[in-house]
Amino acid sequence: MRKSLLVLLLTVSATGCTWVHMAPGASAVRVVNAAPSNCEKRGEVEVSVKHSIAFVERNALRVREELETLARNEAPGLGADTIHPLGEPAAGSQRFAAWRCGR
């Protein structure tokens, strides 16, 4: 009984928490669904987060949001102001292309 309660508490707390925070400058980075036109490709980044805790899957939307935030955090370091996903998240990882569009 006690072990079940602990697993339940871990599950509830893990699905409601966001461990990734937006870095300075990352809030200005746009996220688009496809490669933008008239932009300079600055590179690619692969980001990852924990997708499960103690064999319990985290909320897929929360994982996706954290991956996007991590990619946005990386973009300014590449001189990019726009990113787009290169594929769907898999096992807590995702690749993004970074672009400078000069908005």
Side-chain angles (χ1 to χ4, degrees):
M1 174 71 174
R2 194 171 200 175
K3 188 175 182 179
S4 298
L5 182 60
L6 179 60
V7 170
L8 178 64
L9 287 173
L10 281 173
T11 302
V12 170
S13 66
T15 57
C17 295
T18 297
W19 295 313
V20 178
H21 299 284
M22 190 86 56
S27 61
V29 176
R30 281 188 319 145
V31 180
V32 296
N33 292 327
S37 58
N38 300 321
C39 298
E40 174 190 359
K41 188 169 184 183
R42 302 295 295 167
E44 295 180 5
V45 296
E46 183 170 353
V47 292
S48 62
V49 296
K50 290 278 190 190
H51 69 286
S52 66
I53 299 173
F55 307 105
V56 177
E57 292 292 318
R58 292 182 61 219
N59 179 296
L61 182 57
R62 179 81 59 203
V63 169
R64 185 181 294 267
E65 288 172 350
E66 290 179 0
L67 291 168
E68 184 178 290
T69 300
L70 285 172
R72 290 175 76 185
N73 288 348
E74 293 294 321
L78 296 171
D81 56 20
T82 304
I83 60 169
H84 85 275
L86 294 172
E88 292 295 314
S93 293
Q94 190 173 16
R95 291 190 65 76
F96 289 81
W99 302 85
R100 182 184 318 162
C101 298
R103 304 183 279 139

